[in-house]
């Protein structure tokens, strides 16, 4: 079985449609880990899965990163966005391990991490190579990890969306903003806008 960690953001949504285009059999999991845009994410994920008849598992662990300062979790209006202020240590590692703990059969966990996020240690190819091995052994050889977009930039992922004939409407329904309201100022909004330029928007 394949299980996609679906956030409702641009990257994981493109991977979702990519899997559908290849007639892959898969399920999705969304995890509430305390992110500020959780409500908007969940709404987007539910709409996506329901409209495509894909089973969705919802996991609620909103306090798992409690006490950690990150703009993903907390509104830090007086702090400028930097790699340090936005960083949520080992976020992807924690989410993958939570997902692995819920797998009761042979499963490949899919995550849409990509090259453009490589300033964060848990968005690098070496990280996925190693965590896949760790999860494989810790689950008695039941679960592994695949990050199929890890060599791609966000721009290339948007190009993939275009090749898959995703509509502007489908793109607009994704939720990437830290605030969940398309603020246009957070790193996620800025990266999204830059990636879409020249492909979906002039």
């Amino acid at each position: 079985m394949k299980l996609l960690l679906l956030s409702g953001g641009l990257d994981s949504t493109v991977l979702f449609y990519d899997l559908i285009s290849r007639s892959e059999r898969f399920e999705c999991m969304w995890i509430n880990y305390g992110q500020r845009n959780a409500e908007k994410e969940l709404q987007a994920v539910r709409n996506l899965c329901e409209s495509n008849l894909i089973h969705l598992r919802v996991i609620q662990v909103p306090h798992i990163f409690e006490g950690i300062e990150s703009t993903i979790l907390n509104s830090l209006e007086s702090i400028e966005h930097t790699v340090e202020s936005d960083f949520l240590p080992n976020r992807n590692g924690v989410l993958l391990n939570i997902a692995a703990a819920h797998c009761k059969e042979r499963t490949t966990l899919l995550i849409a991490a990509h090259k453009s996020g490589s300033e964060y240690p848990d968005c690098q190819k070496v990280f996925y190579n190693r965590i896949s091995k760790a999860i494989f052994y810790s689950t008695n050889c039941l679960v592994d990890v695949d990050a199929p977009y890890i060599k791609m930039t966000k721009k290339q992922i948007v190009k993939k969306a275009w090749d898959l004939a995703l509509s502007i409407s489908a793109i607009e329904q994704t939720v990437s903003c830290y605030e969940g309201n398309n603020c246009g100022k957070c790193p996620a909004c800025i990266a999204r806008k830059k990636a879409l330029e020249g492909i979906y928007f002039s």
Side-chain angles (χ1 to χ4, degrees):
M1 187 188 82
K2 292 187 177 180
L3 180 63
L4 170 62
L5 289 182
L6 185 62
S7 70
L10 178 62
D11 310 314
S12 64
T13 298
V14 174
L15 181 50
F16 177 95
Y17 282 112
D18 193 359
L19 293 168
I20 287 178
S21 74
R22 291 185 274 115
S23 299
E24 296 270 12
R25 294 182 62 226
F26 69 100
E27 295 182 357
C28 293
M29 178 179 286
W30 176 82
I31 302 174
N32 177 1
Y33 57 89
Q35 65 271 45
R36 284 190 289 149
N37 65 355
E39 186 177 338
K40 292 288 182 65
E41 275 191 9
L42 182 54
Q43 180 182 347
V45 165
R46 278 188 168 147
N47 290 343
L48 187 60
C49 290
E50 287 175 5
S51 62
N52 289 279
L53 302 178
I54 300 295
H55 180 66
L56 172 66
R57 305 188 212 176
V58 174
I59 307 297
Q60 299 282 358
V61 284
H63 303 296
I64 197 164
F65 290 111
E66 190 171 355
I68 299 173
E69 287 194 353
S70 168
T71 56
I72 293 173
L73 304 174
N74 313 296
S75 181
L76 306 175
E77 295 179 1
S78 61
I79 298 178
E80 183 180 352
H81 280 291
T82 63
V83 171
E84 289 75 22
S85 68
D86 298 333
F87 183 45
L88 182 53
N90 196 32
R91 175 180 62 165
N92 291 342
V94 170
L95 298 183
L96 286 166
N97 274 283
I98 289 171
H102 285 268
C103 295
K104 298 180 180 179
E105 59 183 293
R106 182 73 182 90
T107 305
T108 294
L109 299 177
L110 297 169
I111 186 167
H114 54 86
K115 187 177 179 180
S116 296
S118 61
E119 66 267 32
Y120 299 104
D122 59 348
C123 288
Q124 297 176 9
K125 182 180 178 182
V126 63
F127 168 79
Y128 290 101
N129 289 340
R130 292 176 179 176
I131 198 168
S132 183
K133 291 178 182 178
I135 286 177
F136 188 66
Y137 288 113
S138 71
T139 58
N140 198 24
C141 305
L142 195 68
V143 182
D144 62 357
V145 177
D146 184 17
Y149 291 170
I150 198 61
K151 294 181 180 180
M152 297 171 65
T153 64
K154 199 174 189 77
K155 193 85 170 181
Q156 288 171 322
I157 292 174
V158 172
K159 179 62 167 56
K160 168 74 76 173
W162 181 264
D163 292 341
L164 292 169
L166 265 65
S167 66
I168 291 177
S169 174
I171 295 295
E172 289 178 338
Q173 287 173 35
T174 61
V175 178
S176 299
C177 179
Y178 289 176
E179 302 284 350
N181 61 5
N182 297 320
C183 71
K185 299 177 181 178
C186 72
C189 282
I190 293 169
R192 173 192 175 97
K193 181 181 178 182
K194 189 176 296 184
L196 290 169
E197 286 176 349
I199 299 177
Y200 275 90
F201 302 104
S202 59

